[in-house]
Each structure stands twice: as C-alpha cells, then as structure tokens.
C-alpha cells in the first residue's frame, strides 16, 4: 500500500515528460523574416539586364540584406565596413570591393558577421553574377595586412583575368593583346596594298586609254 503513491507520482512524471517531448517535437519553426524578404526579391542579374543595371541591382540587394541583419547593419552604419560594386575588363565583368572589418558573432550567435556577409554574396559568386571580390583592410589601421589585402576571382587557378575578360594562364594576356593589336595593322596594310594596286591599275588603265586616244587622233 505504501508504494501506491510512489507509483502514481512516477506515472504522472512519465506522462508529463511525454507531453513535454511531444510539445517540443510539434513546435512550429520560427519564421525567419530575413529569409522571407530574400525569397520575395527579384534576382539582381537577369539575362536581359545591362551591366550597369546589374551593378545597381546588386548594390541595392546587398544593402537590403545587410539591413535584414541587425549586427551587420549596426556595423555598417557605424562605418566599420563598406562595399562597392564595380566593373573591370573591356568585356565588362562585375566585381565587388569590400573594405573595413567585421566583428563578433553574427545572427543567432552560431555564425560570425563575416560568414553572414559572405552568405549574402555567395549565390551571386557561384552563379557568375559577381566575378571578383577584393577585400581591403581599414585604411586607418596599421599592420602587416595594411598594404593591399587579398582578392578572390572566378578564374580557376593558375589562370588570371586578362583586360578583355578572358581567363588565361599568366603571361598569355600580353600575347593575345599583341595579336589583336597587330590585326588592324595587317588589315590596313592589305587595304593600302589594295588601294595602291587599284590606284596603279587605274593609272595604267588611264595611261592606256590616253595612249589609244592619241592613236585614234592620228
């Protein structure tokens, strides 16, 4: 008899634990407003857009997603970091320059603010919407990384971007450039040759014509 209250309490404890586990298992996931905002935004680099329009779209999109992240927004508003979307090469291609520093943990404290920023531009890097990222340290802070920072590019190593936007092995850009530069010269030479040939031909033809005319006059 003395064990009955103990059994009842134990049964109630087990039953309560089961209810709590079920409640935890069926809890609806929290809505991530930033992801919802991202899903509703148009892609910044549609095929129909010009390069200039893509630059504007990318700048707006990155700024919007920074604003969705409270920690990134605060650091951006305080001037810790800044970004600029630019074009390079004669093609042209699109790059992004990031200058400054990212500090502390990011959203949910499971990521860093640097990871959060890279998450924003990661899809655009993989898709080729952005071909190059240049990361530069803050100008006012001294140190070993003070000079130039580092760069990531879409070209596969060891290839580099040439001025015309091609990915070629190091040292090959100049050869391509010289080849292209010589083409118009050859074309002009051919043009001059044809011009001279035509001029000489016309000159000979006129001379023959005048000669025949004199013969006929006699």
């Amino acid at each position: 008899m003395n064990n009955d209250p103990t059994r009842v309490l134990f049964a109630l404890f087990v039953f309560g634990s089961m209810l709590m586990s079920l409640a935890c298992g069926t809890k609806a996931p929290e809505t991530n407003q930033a992801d919802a905002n991202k899903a509703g935004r148009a892609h910044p680099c549609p095929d129909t857009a010009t390069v200039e329009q893509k630059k504007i779209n990318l700048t707006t999109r990155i700024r919007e997603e920074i604003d969705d992240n409270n920690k990134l927004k605060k650091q951006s508003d305080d001037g810790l970091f800044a970004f600029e979307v630019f074009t390079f090469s004669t093609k042209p291609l699109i790059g992004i320059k990031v200058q400054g520093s990212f500090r502390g943990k990011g959203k949910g404290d499971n990521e860093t603010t640097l990871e959060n920023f890279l998450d924003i531009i990661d899809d655009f890097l993989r898709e080729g919407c952005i071909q190059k990222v240049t990361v530069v340290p803050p100008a006012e802070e001294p140190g070993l990384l003070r000079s130039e920072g580092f760069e990531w590019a879409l070209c596969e190593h060891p290839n580099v971007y040439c001025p015309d936007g091609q990915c070629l092995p190091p040292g090959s850009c100049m050869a391509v450039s010289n080849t292209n530069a010589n083409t118009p010269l050859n074309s002009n030479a051919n043009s001059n040759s044809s011009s001279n040939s035509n001029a000489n031909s016309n000159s000979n033809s006129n001379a023959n014509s005048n000669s025949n005319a004199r013969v006929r006059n006699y």
Side-chain angles (χ1 to χ4, degrees):
M1 289 293 293
N2 292 335
N3 290 333
D4 287 343
T6 303
R7 293 195 187 96
V8 171
L9 289 174
F10 181 73
L12 289 174
F13 174 77
V14 173
F15 183 68
S17 300
M18 291 175 61
L19 288 177
M20 289 185 65
S21 64
L22 289 173
C24 293
T26 57
K27 182 180 178 181
E30 295 181 4
T31 302
N32 189 323
Q33 188 59 45
D35 290 342
N37 291 342
K38 183 175 179 179
R41 292 167 181 155
H43 197 283
C45 295
D47 293 337
T48 55
T50 64
V51 173
E52 288 303 314
Q53 189 60 54
K54 291 177 181 179
K55 283 174 57 182
I56 295 172
N57 293 347
L58 277 166
T59 301
T60 301
R61 177 65 174 270
I62 295 170
R63 171 52 58 194
E64 288 174 341
E65 296 195 28
I66 287 175
D67 290 344
D68 288 341
N69 184 311
N70 291 333
K71 294 187 178 181
L72 280 180
K73 184 179 188 306
K74 179 69 166 62
Q75 294 188 27
S76 175
D77 292 344
D78 290 346
L80 262 65
F81 72 91
F83 73 92
E84 175 189 1
V85 179
F86 63 93
T87 55
F88 67 98
S89 83
T90 56
K91 204 166 184 177
L93 302 174
I94 296 178
I96 177 172
K97 177 181 178 181
V98 186
Q99 182 167 16
S101 61
F102 298 89
R103 299 180 186 175
K105 293 182 178 180
K107 58 184 180 182
D109 290 339
N110 295 320
E111 301 174 346
T112 63
T113 50
L114 176 59
E115 287 178 293
N116 288 169
F117 183 82
L118 294 178
D119 284 344
I120 291 175
I121 64 174
D122 183 57
D123 288 344
F124 308 136
L125 299 177
R126 287 188 293 102
E127 296 166 0
C129 184
I130 298 174
Q131 282 86 12
K132 181 165 66 174
V133 179
T134 303
V135 181
V136 184
E140 72 277 9
E141 291 188 9
L144 296 177
L145 298 178
R146 172 74 176 79
S147 56
E148 297 180 359
F150 68 92
E151 179 181 280
W152 173 93
L154 193 60
C155 284
E156 293 292 344
H157 181 75
N159 293 347
V160 296
Y161 271 117
C162 296
D164 62 355
Q166 295 187 77
C167 287
L168 295 175
S172 302
C173 296
M174 187 62 68
V176 173
S177 177
N178 290 338
T179 301
N180 293 335
N182 290 333
T183 301
L185 295 178
N186 293 336
S187 175
N188 291 336
N190 293 336
S191 175
N192 293 336
S193 175
S194 299
S195 175
N196 293 336
S197 175
N198 292 336
N200 293 335
S201 176
N202 292 337
S203 175
N204 293 336
S205 175
N206 292 336
N208 293 336
S209 175
N210 293 337
S211 175
N212 292 335
R214 285 195 295 271
V215 171
R216 285 197 297 270
N217 287 337
Y218 289 130

